[in-house]
Amino acid sequence: MTETLILRELLAAEPGWVSGGAIASKLGVSRVSIWHQVEKLRAQGFALEAIPARGYRLSRRPLMLHSGLVEAQLKVRRKGFTLAILDEVDSTNDEAARQLAAGRSAPFAVFARRQTRGRGRFGRHWHSEANGNLYSSFAFRPRIAPERMQTFTLWMGVTICELVSKFVPVAPGIKWPNDIVFDGRKAGGMLTEARVDADQIRDLVFGLGLNVNSAPSDWPTELGRRAVSLSELAGAPVDLNRFTAALIGRVLLAYERFADGEHVDSFAELWNRYDVLRGREVTLVESGRKRRGRALGVDDVGSLLIRDERGRTHGCRAGEVTVEKGG
Ligand code: BTN
Protein backbone atom coordinates (compact mmCIF):
# COMPACT_ATOMS: atom_id res chain seq x y z
CA MET A 1 0.00 0.00 0.00
CA THR A 2 2.80 2.44 0.92
CA GLU A 3 4.36 1.56 -2.43
CA THR A 4 1.20 2.64 -4.27
CA LEU A 5 1.01 5.87 -2.28
CA ILE A 6 4.66 6.72 -2.95
CA LEU A 7 4.18 6.00 -6.63
CA ARG A 8 1.14 8.27 -6.64
CA GLU A 9 3.25 11.12 -5.21
CA LEU A 10 6.07 10.51 -7.68
CA LEU A 11 3.68 10.35 -10.64
CA ALA A 12 1.89 13.51 -9.53
CA ALA A 13 5.21 15.36 -9.39
CA GLU A 14 6.44 14.05 -12.75
CA PRO A 15 8.62 15.28 -14.45
CA GLY A 16 9.52 17.24 -11.32
CA TRP A 17 10.92 16.31 -7.92
CA VAL A 18 9.25 15.45 -4.65
CA SER A 19 11.04 15.53 -1.33
CA GLY A 20 11.37 12.38 0.76
CA GLY A 21 10.38 14.40 3.84
CA ALA A 22 7.20 15.66 2.17
CA ILE A 23 6.16 12.14 1.17
CA ALA A 24 7.01 10.80 4.62
CA SER A 25 4.92 13.37 6.46
CA LYS A 26 2.02 13.02 4.02
CA LEU A 27 1.94 9.27 4.51
CA GLY A 28 2.74 9.41 8.21
CA VAL A 29 5.84 7.22 7.95
CA SER A 30 9.56 7.80 8.50
CA ARG A 31 11.98 9.05 5.83
CA VAL A 32 13.91 5.82 6.26
CA SER A 33 10.87 3.80 5.33
CA ILE A 34 10.47 5.93 2.17
CA TRP A 35 14.11 5.26 1.35
CA HIS A 36 13.52 1.50 1.77
CA GLN A 37 10.51 1.60 -0.54
CA VAL A 38 12.52 3.55 -3.13
CA GLU A 39 15.18 0.83 -3.06
CA LYS A 40 12.49 -1.80 -3.58
CA LEU A 41 11.12 0.10 -6.55
CA ARG A 42 14.61 0.30 -8.07
CA ALA A 43 14.94 -3.46 -7.76
CA GLN A 44 11.67 -3.79 -9.70
CA GLY A 45 12.92 -1.85 -12.72
CA PHE A 46 12.07 1.75 -11.78
CA ALA A 47 14.76 4.36 -12.28
CA LEU A 48 14.64 6.96 -9.52
CA GLU A 49 17.02 9.87 -9.30
CA ALA A 50 17.79 11.19 -5.83
CA ILE A 51 19.34 14.53 -4.90
CA PRO A 52 19.53 15.45 -1.20
CA ALA A 53 18.32 19.03 -1.67
CA ARG A 54 15.45 18.14 -4.02
CA GLY A 55 14.28 14.63 -3.19
CA TYR A 56 13.27 11.95 -5.69
CA ARG A 57 12.31 11.95 -9.32
CA LEU A 58 10.91 9.12 -11.41
CA SER A 59 12.88 8.83 -14.62
CA ARG A 60 11.87 5.40 -15.90
CA ARG A 61 9.00 3.02 -15.19
CA PRO A 62 8.80 -0.69 -16.00
CA LEU A 63 7.03 -1.50 -19.26
CA MET A 64 5.52 -4.73 -17.97
CA LEU A 65 2.44 -4.76 -15.75
CA HIS A 66 3.15 -3.61 -12.21
CA SER A 67 0.36 -3.68 -9.62
CA GLY A 68 1.55 -0.62 -7.66
CA LEU A 69 1.81 1.40 -10.85
CA VAL A 70 -1.68 0.35 -11.95
CA GLU A 71 -3.21 1.08 -8.55
CA ALA A 72 -1.43 4.43 -8.29
CA GLN A 73 -3.11 5.48 -11.55
CA LEU A 74 -6.66 4.40 -10.71
CA LYS A 75 -8.79 7.54 -10.84
CA VAL A 76 -11.52 6.15 -8.61
CA ARG A 77 -11.04 3.47 -5.98
CA ARG A 78 -14.16 1.31 -6.05
CA LYS A 79 -15.20 -0.15 -2.72
CA GLY A 80 -14.26 -3.80 -2.38
CA PHE A 81 -12.51 -4.05 -5.73
CA THR A 82 -9.22 -5.94 -5.70
CA LEU A 83 -6.73 -6.73 -8.39
CA ALA A 84 -4.08 -9.41 -8.84
CA ILE A 85 -1.27 -9.34 -11.37
CA LEU A 86 0.33 -12.72 -11.95
CA ASP A 87 3.50 -13.46 -13.78
CA GLU A 88 2.05 -16.57 -15.39
CA VAL A 89 -1.22 -18.45 -15.25
CA ASP A 90 -3.01 -21.04 -17.38
CA SER A 91 -5.86 -18.68 -18.26
CA THR A 92 -6.96 -15.55 -16.40
CA ASN A 93 -10.59 -16.59 -17.06
CA ASP A 94 -9.97 -19.97 -15.42
CA GLU A 95 -8.14 -18.37 -12.51
CA ALA A 96 -10.96 -15.87 -11.95
CA ALA A 97 -13.53 -18.71 -12.10
CA ARG A 98 -11.53 -20.73 -9.56
CA GLN A 99 -11.35 -17.76 -7.21
CA LEU A 100 -15.08 -17.11 -7.55
CA ALA A 101 -15.77 -20.78 -6.80
CA ALA A 102 -13.51 -20.52 -3.75
CA GLY A 103 -15.67 -17.65 -2.48
CA ARG A 104 -13.52 -14.58 -3.18
CA SER A 105 -15.69 -11.50 -3.02
CA ALA A 106 -16.36 -9.74 -6.29
CA PRO A 107 -15.73 -7.56 -8.18
CA PHE A 108 -12.08 -8.38 -8.73
CA ALA A 109 -9.72 -8.63 -11.67
CA VAL A 110 -6.96 -11.03 -12.60
CA PHE A 111 -4.19 -9.99 -14.97
CA ALA A 112 -1.27 -12.06 -16.16
CA ARG A 113 1.90 -11.18 -18.03
CA ARG A 114 1.66 -14.54 -19.80
CA GLN A 115 -0.90 -17.33 -20.16
CA THR A 116 -0.01 -20.94 -20.83
CA ARG A 117 -3.54 -21.99 -21.88
CA GLY A 118 -5.17 -18.78 -23.05
CA ARG A 119 -8.54 -19.56 -24.60
CA GLY A 120 -10.71 -17.86 -27.16
CA ARG A 121 -14.22 -18.52 -28.45
CA PHE A 122 -15.02 -22.09 -29.48
CA GLY A 123 -12.14 -23.28 -27.24
CA ARG A 124 -9.55 -21.87 -29.64
CA HIS A 125 -6.02 -21.18 -28.46
CA TRP A 126 -5.27 -17.52 -27.61
CA HIS A 127 -1.65 -16.66 -28.25
CA SER A 128 -0.46 -15.30 -24.86
CA GLU A 129 3.29 -14.71 -24.76
CA ALA A 130 4.89 -12.25 -22.31
CA ASN A 131 5.20 -9.62 -25.03
CA GLY A 132 3.56 -6.60 -23.44
CA ASN A 133 0.03 -7.61 -24.41
CA LEU A 134 -2.91 -7.62 -22.05
CA TYR A 135 -4.51 -10.77 -20.62
CA SER A 136 -7.25 -9.84 -18.20
CA SER A 137 -10.38 -11.16 -16.56
CA PHE A 138 -12.95 -9.32 -14.46
CA ALA A 139 -15.13 -11.28 -12.05
CA PHE A 140 -18.61 -10.23 -10.99
CA ARG A 141 -21.57 -11.65 -9.12
CA PRO A 142 -24.40 -9.96 -10.96
CA ARG A 143 -28.09 -10.48 -10.42
CA ILE A 144 -29.07 -10.67 -14.04
CA ALA A 145 -30.90 -13.16 -16.23
CA PRO A 146 -28.73 -15.40 -18.42
CA GLU A 147 -30.38 -14.00 -21.60
CA ARG A 148 -28.64 -10.67 -20.93
CA MET A 149 -25.15 -12.12 -21.20
CA GLN A 150 -24.80 -11.54 -24.93
CA THR A 151 -25.71 -7.85 -24.60
CA PHE A 152 -23.24 -7.65 -21.73
CA THR A 153 -20.37 -8.67 -24.03
CA LEU A 154 -21.51 -6.24 -26.73
CA TRP A 155 -21.77 -3.42 -24.19
CA MET A 156 -18.30 -4.23 -22.91
CA GLY A 157 -17.11 -4.22 -26.52
CA VAL A 158 -18.24 -0.65 -27.09
CA THR A 159 -16.68 0.28 -23.74
CA ILE A 160 -13.33 -1.16 -24.87
CA CYS A 161 -13.59 0.64 -28.23
CA GLU A 162 -14.17 3.95 -26.47
CA LEU A 163 -11.10 3.40 -24.30
CA VAL A 164 -8.86 2.17 -27.10
CA SER A 165 -9.75 5.16 -29.26
CA LYS A 166 -8.10 7.40 -26.62
CA PHE A 167 -4.79 5.59 -27.14
CA VAL A 168 -4.52 5.20 -30.92
CA PRO A 169 -5.14 7.60 -33.79
CA VAL A 170 -7.20 5.04 -35.76
CA ALA A 171 -10.88 4.24 -35.25
CA PRO A 172 -11.55 0.81 -33.68
CA GLY A 173 -14.52 -1.38 -34.56
CA ILE A 174 -16.33 -4.43 -33.22
CA LYS A 175 -16.98 -7.49 -35.31
CA TRP A 176 -20.00 -9.15 -33.70
CA PRO A 177 -19.94 -10.50 -31.13
CA ASN A 178 -16.53 -10.23 -29.55
CA ASP A 179 -13.68 -9.06 -31.81
CA ILE A 180 -12.01 -5.66 -31.49
CA VAL A 181 -10.73 -4.85 -34.96
CA PHE A 182 -8.95 -2.18 -36.95
CA ASP A 183 -9.55 -2.22 -40.66
CA GLY A 184 -10.19 -5.98 -40.70
CA ARG A 185 -7.25 -6.87 -38.44
CA LYS A 186 -7.93 -8.20 -34.98
CA ALA A 187 -6.49 -6.35 -31.99
CA GLY A 188 -8.46 -8.06 -29.25
CA GLY A 189 -11.08 -10.56 -28.26
CA MET A 190 -13.56 -10.90 -25.42
CA LEU A 191 -14.70 -14.10 -23.75
CA THR A 192 -17.59 -13.88 -21.29
CA GLU A 193 -18.31 -16.99 -19.25
CA ALA A 194 -20.90 -17.52 -16.55
CA ARG A 195 -22.18 -20.10 -14.12
CA VAL A 196 -25.93 -20.14 -14.09
CA ASP A 197 -28.28 -21.18 -11.26
CA ALA A 198 -31.83 -21.89 -12.40
CA ASP A 199 -32.77 -18.58 -14.00
CA GLN A 200 -30.06 -16.30 -12.60
CA ILE A 201 -26.39 -15.83 -13.27
CA ARG A 202 -24.45 -16.95 -10.20
CA ASP A 203 -21.16 -15.43 -11.29
CA LEU A 204 -19.63 -14.08 -14.43
CA VAL A 205 -16.12 -13.67 -15.83
CA PHE A 206 -15.41 -11.12 -18.52
CA GLY A 207 -12.11 -11.91 -20.25
CA LEU A 208 -10.30 -9.53 -22.52
CA GLY A 209 -7.16 -10.23 -24.50
CA LEU A 210 -5.75 -7.18 -26.23
CA ASN A 211 -2.68 -6.82 -28.40
CA VAL A 212 -1.15 -3.77 -26.78
CA ASN A 213 2.59 -3.81 -27.33
CA SER A 214 3.44 -6.89 -29.35
CA ALA A 215 5.55 -6.45 -32.47
CA PRO A 216 4.44 -8.04 -35.76
CA SER A 217 7.43 -10.40 -35.46
CA ASP A 218 6.03 -11.79 -32.16
CA TRP A 219 3.27 -13.70 -33.94
CA PRO A 220 3.33 -16.79 -36.11
CA THR A 221 3.26 -15.59 -39.76
CA GLU A 222 -0.33 -16.54 -40.55
CA LEU A 223 -1.66 -14.90 -37.37
CA GLY A 224 0.50 -11.82 -37.96
CA ARG A 225 -1.35 -11.05 -41.20
CA ARG A 226 -4.71 -10.96 -39.41
CA ALA A 227 -3.58 -9.32 -36.16
CA VAL A 228 -2.54 -5.84 -35.16
CA SER A 229 -1.39 -4.24 -31.91
CA LEU A 230 -2.15 -0.83 -30.45
CA SER A 231 1.54 0.10 -30.45
CA GLU A 232 1.73 -0.69 -34.17
CA LEU A 233 -1.19 1.67 -34.76
CA ALA A 234 0.14 4.33 -32.41
CA GLY A 235 3.66 4.10 -33.85
CA ALA A 236 5.07 3.95 -30.29
CA PRO A 237 4.80 1.71 -27.22
CA VAL A 238 1.59 2.15 -25.24
CA ASP A 239 1.96 2.65 -21.47
CA LEU A 240 0.45 -0.69 -20.39
CA ASN A 241 0.09 0.31 -16.72
CA ARG A 242 -1.70 3.57 -17.53
CA PHE A 243 -3.87 1.71 -20.05
CA THR A 244 -4.74 -0.97 -17.48
CA ALA A 245 -5.71 1.60 -14.85
CA ALA A 246 -8.00 3.29 -17.38
CA LEU A 247 -9.43 -0.10 -18.42
CA ILE A 248 -10.32 -1.01 -14.84
CA GLY A 249 -12.10 2.32 -14.33
CA ARG A 250 -14.11 1.91 -17.54
CA VAL A 251 -15.00 -1.75 -17.10
CA LEU A 252 -16.22 -1.27 -13.52
CA LEU A 253 -18.30 1.74 -14.48
CA ALA A 254 -19.71 -0.05 -17.53
CA TYR A 255 -20.60 -3.05 -15.36
CA GLU A 256 -22.49 -0.84 -12.88
CA ARG A 257 -24.36 0.88 -15.67
CA PHE A 258 -25.27 -2.48 -17.19
CA ALA A 259 -26.40 -3.97 -13.87
CA ASP A 260 -28.61 -0.91 -13.27
CA GLY A 261 -29.98 -1.00 -16.83
CA GLU A 262 -28.57 2.49 -17.43
CA HIS A 263 -26.64 1.42 -20.51
CA VAL A 264 -29.79 1.07 -22.61
CA ASP A 265 -29.95 4.74 -23.67
CA SER A 266 -26.46 4.90 -25.12
CA PHE A 267 -25.96 1.32 -26.30
CA ALA A 268 -27.71 1.49 -29.70
CA GLU A 269 -25.89 4.67 -30.73
CA LEU A 270 -22.51 3.32 -29.62
CA TRP A 271 -23.07 -0.05 -31.24
CA ASN A 272 -23.90 1.62 -34.55
CA ARG A 273 -20.74 3.71 -34.25
CA TYR A 274 -18.44 0.71 -33.84
CA ASP A 275 -20.30 -2.12 -35.65
CA VAL A 276 -18.13 -3.07 -38.65
CA LEU A 277 -20.66 -5.54 -40.10
CA ARG A 278 -23.64 -3.25 -40.53
CA GLY A 279 -24.74 -3.11 -44.16
CA ARG A 280 -22.22 -5.74 -45.28
CA GLU A 281 -22.95 -9.02 -47.02
CA VAL A 282 -22.02 -11.72 -44.52
CA THR A 283 -22.08 -15.45 -43.97
CA LEU A 284 -22.74 -16.76 -40.50
CA VAL A 285 -21.84 -20.35 -39.72
CA GLU A 286 -23.44 -21.95 -36.69
CA SER A 287 -23.11 -25.67 -35.90
CA GLY A 288 -22.30 -26.32 -39.56
CA ARG A 289 -25.36 -24.37 -40.83
CA LYS A 290 -24.80 -21.34 -43.03
CA ARG A 291 -26.87 -18.20 -43.20
CA ARG A 292 -26.07 -15.60 -45.85
CA GLY A 293 -27.42 -12.10 -46.10
CA ARG A 294 -26.98 -8.46 -45.19
CA ALA A 295 -26.07 -7.59 -41.60
CA LEU A 296 -28.50 -5.08 -40.08
CA GLY A 297 -27.11 -4.56 -36.57
CA VAL A 298 -28.30 -6.29 -33.41
CA ASP A 299 -31.62 -6.72 -31.62
CA ASP A 300 -32.25 -6.05 -27.95
CA VAL A 301 -30.89 -9.41 -26.81
CA GLY A 302 -27.70 -8.91 -28.79
CA SER A 303 -28.50 -11.28 -31.66
CA LEU A 304 -27.05 -10.37 -35.04
CA LEU A 305 -29.78 -9.45 -37.51
CA ILE A 306 -29.28 -10.84 -41.00
CA ARG A 307 -31.66 -10.15 -43.89
CA ASP A 308 -31.61 -12.99 -46.40
CA GLU A 309 -32.14 -12.68 -50.17
CA ARG A 310 -35.88 -13.24 -49.75
CA GLY A 311 -36.08 -10.21 -47.51
CA ARG A 312 -36.62 -12.17 -44.29
CA THR A 313 -34.75 -11.00 -41.22
CA HIS A 314 -33.24 -13.56 -38.83
CA GLY A 315 -31.88 -12.94 -35.33
CA CYS A 316 -28.76 -15.07 -34.92
CA ARG A 317 -27.68 -15.75 -31.36
CA ALA A 318 -24.36 -17.47 -32.01
CA GLY A 319 -21.92 -18.40 -34.73
CA GLU A 320 -18.95 -17.16 -36.66
CA VAL A 321 -19.30 -14.41 -39.24
CA THR A 322 -17.25 -13.74 -42.34
CA VAL A 323 -17.71 -10.77 -44.62
CA GLU A 324 -18.25 -11.67 -48.27
CA LYS A 325 -15.69 -10.31 -50.75
CA GLY A 326 -16.94 -6.97 -52.03
CA GLY A 327 -19.74 -7.12 -49.42
C1 BTN B 1 -11.73 -14.59 -28.84
O1 BTN B 1 -11.45 -13.67 -29.62
O2 BTN B 1 -12.04 -15.71 -29.25
C2 BTN B 1 -11.70 -14.28 -27.37
C3 BTN B 1 -10.31 -14.22 -26.82
C4 BTN B 1 -10.25 -13.96 -25.34
C5 BTN B 1 -8.85 -14.05 -24.79
C6 BTN B 1 -8.77 -13.58 -23.38
S1 BTN B 1 -7.11 -13.37 -22.83
C7 BTN B 1 -7.64 -13.18 -21.20
C8 BTN B 1 -8.76 -14.19 -20.96
N1 BTN B 1 -8.21 -15.48 -20.60
C9 BTN B 1 -8.44 -16.40 -21.53
O3 BTN B 1 -8.06 -17.58 -21.46
N2 BTN B 1 -9.12 -15.88 -22.53
C10 BTN B 1 -9.42 -14.48 -22.33
Side-chain angles (χ1 to χ4, degrees):
M1 193 58 199
T2 323
E3 177 187 86
T4 303
L5 296 172
I6 294 180
L7 282 169
R8 208 170 276 164
E9 296 301 315
L10 288 163
L11 290 170
E14 236 180 2
W17 298 80
V18 56
S19 90
I23 307 180
S25 60
K26 191 157 180 187
L27 306 189
V29 297
S30 69
R31 290 172 76 125
V32 176
S33 105
I34 300 293
W35 179 83
H36 276 297
Q37 287 290 341
V38 164
E39 287 308 301
K40 274 197 199 154
L41 288 172
R42 286 191 172 125
Q44 293 168 32
F46 289 83
L48 282 141
E49 296 168 64
I51 296 181
R54 305 181 82 177
Y56 299 104
R57 180 163 81 160
L58 199 52
S59 49
R60 193 188 63 237
R61 324 175 190 180
L63 295 176
M64 293 303 259
L65 270 185
H66 182 279
S67 55
L69 211 38
V70 171
E71 298 210 25
Q73 294 179 89
L74 288 176
K75 293 263 185 315
V76 180
R77 283 203 67 82
R78 285 212 151 58
K79 206 170 139 240
F81 173 78
T82 50
L83 115 100
I85 297 182
L86 310 172
D87 214 30
E88 179 182 299
V89 74
D90 50 358
S91 148
T92 54
N93 265 35
D94 291 345
E95 179 59 24
R98 284 190 291 265
Q99 295 193 15
L100 279 168
R104 179 167 169 188
S105 66
F108 64 86
V110 178
F111 292 78
R113 300 187 184 95
R114 173 170 184 268
Q115 297 182 118
T116 53
R117 296 184 65 181
R119 294 182 289 109
R121 254 176 117 217
F122 309 117
R124 286 183 192 136
H125 169 72
W126 185 259
H127 200 73
S128 308
E129 291 308 315
N131 52 12
N133 285 346
L134 184 95
Y135 314 111
S136 63
S137 297
F138 290 81
F140 301 103
R141 296 188 197 275
R143 291 217 174 94
I144 58 172
E147 308 84 75
R148 294 185 63 205
M149 220 172 98
Q150 179 89 295
T151 1
F152 177 79
T153 307
L154 305 185
W155 170 243
M156 285 299 170
V158 298
T159 301
I160 304 304
C161 282
E162 294 233 276
L163 169 67
V164 159
S165 60
K166 305 272 181 259
F167 284 78
V168 295
V170 189
I174 307 177
K175 177 170 166 273
W176 181 92
N178 69 325
D179 290 358
I180 308 292
V181 296
F182 288 89
D183 202 13
R185 290 164 81 197
K186 183 159 169 168
M190 299 174 284
L191 184 66
T192 307
E193 297 175 307
R195 288 193 300 171
V196 178
D197 278 337
D199 56 356
Q200 275 232 327
I201 287 182
R202 186 197 305 180
D203 50 40
L204 179 149
V205 175
F206 167 68
L208 170 71
L210 199 61
N211 305 329
V212 178
N213 280 320
S214 52
S217 57
D218 290 340
W219 281 302
T221 327
E222 176 45 28
L223 192 60
R225 268 194 282 276
R226 290 180 283 123
V228 69
S229 69
L230 303 188
S231 61
E232 226 181 306
L233 296 162
V238 169
D239 182 336
L240 187 58
N241 290 295
R242 188 167 80 83
F243 182 88
T244 300
L247 172 75
I248 292 171
R250 292 226 178 208
V251 167
L252 294 183
L253 183 64
Y255 169 76
E256 282 165 14
R257 296 188 63 199
F258 186 85
D260 294 346
E262 276 174 35
H263 68 297
V264 175
D265 292 346
S266 42
F267 174 69
E269 192 252 311
L270 287 170
W271 182 260
N272 290 343
R273 186 184 308 168
Y274 295 116
D275 178 9
V276 297
L277 297 180
R278 196 183 188 83
R280 316 275 306 263
E281 283 298 320
V282 299
T283 299
L284 177 128
V285 180
E286 191 204 351
S287 316
R289 282 183 45 218
K290 280 190 181 176
R291 168 134 3 246
R292 281 184 72 155
R294 192 171 291 279
L296 301 177
V298 293
D299 65 12
D300 55 9
V301 288
S303 295
L304 179 68
L305 296 172
I306 297 182
R307 192 172 60 215
D308 67 19
E309 54 190 21
R310 292 155 135 193
R312 283 187 310 198
T313 302
H314 307 267
C316 307
R317 276 199 78 66
E320 172 117 39
V321 184
T322 44
V323 176
E324 294 301 317
K325 282 214 169 67

